[in-house]
Amino acid sequence: MKKFKPLLIAWAAGLALWLLLGCVSLAKTAWYAGQGLAATKSLSFEDFTPLGIQPYDAGEEGPWYISTDGDPQLLWQGEAYLNTVWLFVEHESPPQAVMLYWKTPGQTDFSPRQSVYGVETAPGVYSFDLGGVKVSEVRIDPDSQGGVVTRFDGVVFNPDLSPLEFFLPGAGEAMLLLFAPPLALAVFCQLRRALGAFLKQDDQSK
């Protein structure tokens, strides 16, 4: 058990750091909520400016549209502080990638560094985790190829989730919490050994 103690300490330190970051994120959200920027907001198709998209008559309740090129976009402008965005759509064919881009205040162009892939959490429901960012414009790419017929059922900014969501890691974050502390511990041990060997060699040279 004793030889596992450093590893347990590393995991405990990683968990403590994760909880601290969750508290910081929760506090930031509360602060922006006080400014009216982090409220839950439901958006319809009319709230967006479509590009590469045309109306489509599917003979069913809509709105339905069809993407006309490989880069269809839904653009929304306004100030908001976003943690999570939900997109509700029904694709008639595989959409390939579903993505969300954002601009921060003062930014002129969208950047791939400020984008996130949608995760389909239920049939027709895509979730985007932005991690808490103040935005001035949002671009949603509901698919990434032409000819996809889609019914748009709405977008929700900052869905009303439990505060515990700030502390629950996703799949990638859970893997990071599991493997990053042992890796950091291994690097620290190697550096300590290297430093000890260097100091020993320096003493012998004197």
Side-chain angles (χ1 to χ4, degrees):
M1 183 67 181
K2 186 176 180 180
K3 68 178 182 179
F4 291 110
K5 186 176 180 180
L7 183 58
L8 295 176
I9 292 174
W11 271 324
L15 180 59
L17 178 60
W18 173 259
L19 294 175
L20 177 61
L21 292 175
C23 289
V24 171
S25 180
L26 186 60
K28 285 178 63 178
T29 299
W31 189 79
Y32 279 107
Q35 297 185 345
L37 297 177
T40 300
K41 178 182 292 188
S42 297
L43 304 174
S44 64
F45 191 81
E46 288 71 24
D47 294 309
F48 292 88
T49 301
L51 294 177
I53 287 172
Q54 288 185 352
Y56 184 86
D57 184 7
E60 301 178 27
E61 184 179 354
W64 289 85
Y65 65 82
I66 184 170
S67 53
T68 57
D69 57 39
D71 192 24
Q73 302 173 16
L74 296 169
L75 300 173
W76 177 88
Q77 289 185 320
E79 280 196 328
Y81 182 80
L82 300 178
N83 283 298
T84 303
V85 174
W86 286 350
L87 168 68
F88 298 87
V89 290
E90 179 183 330
H91 296 107
E92 290 292 287
S93 57
Q96 304 301 327
V98 179
M99 297 187 67
L100 182 148
Y101 296 79
W102 68 88
K103 292 180 187 177
T104 55
Q107 186 176 344
T108 56
D109 298 313
F110 289 106
S111 169
R113 291 174 295 183
Q114 293 173 197
S115 65
V116 62
Y117 284 95
V119 177
E120 191 170 13
T121 56
V125 182
Y126 291 86
S127 179
F128 305 92
D129 182 9
L130 281 71
V133 61
K134 185 179 179 181
V135 305
S136 60
E137 188 171 357
V138 170
R139 164 186 153 189
I140 296 177
D141 293 6
D143 59 78
S144 58
Q145 60 181 354
V148 178
V149 177
T150 304
R151 186 177 72 185
F152 182 90
D153 292 327
V155 168
V156 177
F157 286 173
N158 296 320
D160 189 14
L161 302 174
S162 166
L164 291 176
E165 293 289 332
F166 289 92
F167 303 97
L168 296 177
E173 294 160 338
M175 294 293 287
L176 187 64
L177 282 172
L178 183 61
F179 292 108
L183 180 60
L185 178 62
V187 171
F188 172 76
C189 291
Q190 288 293 335
L191 290 175
R192 188 174 64 175
R193 290 193 191 99
L195 180 60
F198 174 78
L199 292 176
K200 184 178 180 181
Q201 185 179 13
D202 187 54
D203 288 340
Q204 290 176 347
S205 64
K206 292 178 181 179

